[in-house]
Amino acid sequence: MLQRAVASFHPRSQPWGTRAAYRRELVASSTFPAAVAMLEGGVVGVMAKTVFDVSNLGFATIAAAPMFANLTSLFWTRAARGRRKPAFVAAVMAALLLLVAAVGLLPTEGWGPAGLVVAVVVGRCLLAGMIAIRSAIWRMNYPRTVRARVTGKLVVIATLLLGAVPLLVGPLIDWQPGLFRAVYPAAALVGACAVFAFLGMRVRQEPQLLRSETAPPDDRDTAPRQPDGRRHTLVSVLRHDRHFRAYMTWQFVAGVCNMMGNTAFLLFVIDAVEHRDDANTLGMLLGTTVPLAVTTATVPLWSRLLDGTHIARYRVFHGLTWILGQSSCYLAAATGQLWLFFLPMALRGVMQGGGVIAWQLGHNDFADRRLAALYMGIHQTLTGLRGAFAPFLGVLLLAGWGPATLPGTGHT
């Protein structure tokens, strides 16, 4: 059974028409996450507290960066219009890798903590651009009936690497905090393989896609337009597509609650373990490795569900895991028992397993293929809007409770 599962990731096991693109994305998914992991909140957030001693506001900014960076998505959509998508993604990847490598040069005092926060924010903005454009590539290269399963395999590999990196980085920084100066450039070097993989990638029907993005209003191949002939925008799509508008509305409400709770609980966990000799190892294990390990295990299940279910119905089932996850965060925080911290982090992995696929593909159930990038940009922008305040509100509410001694630790 294990052998069959591993073999299912081989390009020969994919539908014939998807193999060439899948092979290159397989290389990217096996290397680029090594660099991305260094910007994950559960990694850099822990290091920001233990090595750089950032403030709670700085921590909230780092934790919120993946969310509010999505505000740049429409910029990326416009910037990539009429340009070859794989080459554009490769250029964004290269810029992100340079930024990751530069973190190794930051001082741990003075302007260093602020520089770390800025580096994370800029890096997450670059990653948001890569995700926005890659979604359009997936739309063109992988048919709807197999898209979630094929991309789900890429997500599983990337998630495994994202979860494995902290197991190496945490102990190294616990042993010698200054080793981050070597770890960050090394991660960027590994990620460079992904740049070359994307540079050689082909996108099915890309000439037609590029023409539809740049054609004048009277061109028959152009994307659908508003009644007055103008191109669709964020506002016009939400005004005319009532089903997508309803979907985005309820995603916004649920997402605000999720972002508040997840950010506050991660800060609670880091504060609880910060006094330990293995603070980086335990913090990264809880904040990144545990949820991502569960994410890896559940992505195939969520992928099969999404391939056969409209995204609106899918989100009903997925939303139930959010409720369980947030409830377990409260239980763990109320008791302060360290062993209980693993439960909400595992449930967060279940949530992420369903969310990582639905977030990148769900808009396709509403969008014309020629407007797929715009719909993804709208989804990212609204995610960014809630990310601009929800994580900060969660940290503010937690900090407003005042100091409290955690049972069994004596830590305040």
Side-chain angles (χ1 to χ4, degrees):
M1 181 180 295
L2 178 60
Q3 186 177 4
R4 285 200 303 272
V6 173
S8 70
F9 285 82
H10 196 281
R12 287 196 302 268
S13 300
Q14 313 313 314
W16 183 84
T18 69
R19 291 176 186 175
Y22 175 83
R23 185 176 290 107
R24 289 188 172 274
E25 293 220 50
L26 193 61
V27 174
S29 295
S30 302
T31 55
F32 194 68
V36 175
M38 307 310 297
L39 299 180
E40 285 291 310
V43 175
V44 72
V46 174
M47 192 182 73
K49 279 290 188 182
T50 60
V51 178
F52 286 81
D53 194 26
V54 301
S55 64
N56 281 348
L57 177 61
F59 174 83
T61 305
I62 288 173
M67 283 78 85
F68 68 69
N70 288 293
L71 288 171
T72 65
S73 60
L74 291 181
F75 161 79
W76 292 113
T77 300
R78 287 193 295 270
R81 185 177 294 160
R83 301 176 185 272
R84 286 200 63 244
K85 301 302 182 283
F88 190 90
V89 169
V92 174
M93 282 179 165
L96 187 145
L97 294 175
L98 290 174
L99 190 69
V100 169
V103 170
L105 302 176
L106 293 175
T108 57
E109 297 179 347
W111 61 271
L116 178 66
V117 174
V118 171
V120 173
V121 170
V122 175
R124 298 306 304 207
C125 289
L126 291 168
L127 188 61
M130 190 200 83
I131 291 172
I133 308 308
R134 188 181 60 182
S135 175
I137 294 174
W138 286 358
R139 173 66 183 257
M140 301 301 291
N141 280 344
Y142 308 124
R144 173 65 177 90
T145 54
V146 299
R147 188 180 299 139
R149 272 172 287 179
V150 173
T151 58
K153 294 183 185 302
L154 300 172
V155 170
V156 165
I157 293 170
T159 304
L160 278 172
L161 190 55
L162 286 171
V165 167
L167 295 178
L168 174 64
V169 173
L172 285 174
I173 296 179
D174 279 329
W175 175 56
Q176 180 53 258
L179 281 176
F180 80 90
R181 301 194 182 283
V183 169
Y184 272 79
L189 186 61
V190 172
C193 297
V195 176
F196 295 101
F198 263 86
L199 282 174
M201 183 181 295
R202 294 181 178 272
V203 176
R204 295 174 61 196
Q205 300 180 333
E206 187 172 39
Q208 295 93 313
L209 175 64
L210 299 182
R211 282 199 299 271
S212 72
E213 292 177 339
T214 57
D218 57 351
D219 192 317
R220 286 180 295 177
D221 290 333
T222 194
R225 294 176 180 268
Q226 301 182 57
D228 60 6
R230 291 182 298 173
R231 291 184 183 274
H232 274 293
T233 63
L234 181 151
V235 174
S236 69
V237 167
L238 293 178
R239 182 170 61 242
H240 295 297
D241 192 336
R242 63 185 181 89
H243 297 297
F244 187 64
R245 182 175 68 244
Y247 174 66
M248 288 289 93
T249 298
W250 293 115
Q251 279 295 108
F252 192 91
V253 173
V256 166
C257 302
N258 217 26
M259 289 178 181
M260 287 176 60
N262 288 346
T263 306
F265 187 68
L266 180 58
L267 178 59
F268 187 90
V269 169
I270 293 173
D271 283 346
V273 304
E274 191 175 5
H275 65 293
R276 296 170 58 104
D277 292 336
D278 59 351
N280 287 285
T281 301
L282 187 56
M284 293 180 189
L285 177 67
L286 283 165
T288 301
T289 302
V290 169
L292 289 182
V294 179
T295 296
T296 303
T298 57
V299 160
L301 302 176
W302 288 113
S303 297
R304 284 195 290 271
L305 178 62
L306 182 58
D307 274 338
T309 309
H310 190 278
I311 186 60
R313 183 178 296 275
Y314 173 95
R315 284 293 193 180
V316 173
F317 298 107
H318 185 231
L320 295 176
T321 67
W322 293 22
I323 297 172
L324 291 174
Q326 293 299 313
S327 300
S328 67
C329 284
Y330 175 79
L331 175 65
T335 62
Q337 295 296 318
L338 184 60
W339 65 271
L340 266 180
F341 291 176
F342 286 86
L343 174 61
M345 289 308 186
L347 287 173
R348 183 177 300 184
V350 178
M351 291 187 285
Q352 289 177 179
V356 72
I357 292 294
W359 192 80
Q360 297 188 73
L361 299 178
H363 63 283
N364 287 306
D365 282 352
F366 299 95
D368 180 284
R369 68 177 181 84
R370 294 164 292 179
L371 292 177
L374 175 60
Y375 271 64
M376 181 61 183
I378 293 170
H379 195 173
Q380 285 187 286
T381 298
L382 293 177
T383 300
L385 284 176
R386 60 181 181 260
F389 71 90
F392 295 95
L393 182 57
V395 170
L396 177 63
L397 289 173
L398 179 63
W401 295 337
T405 301
L406 298 176
T409 66
H411 181 56
T412 58

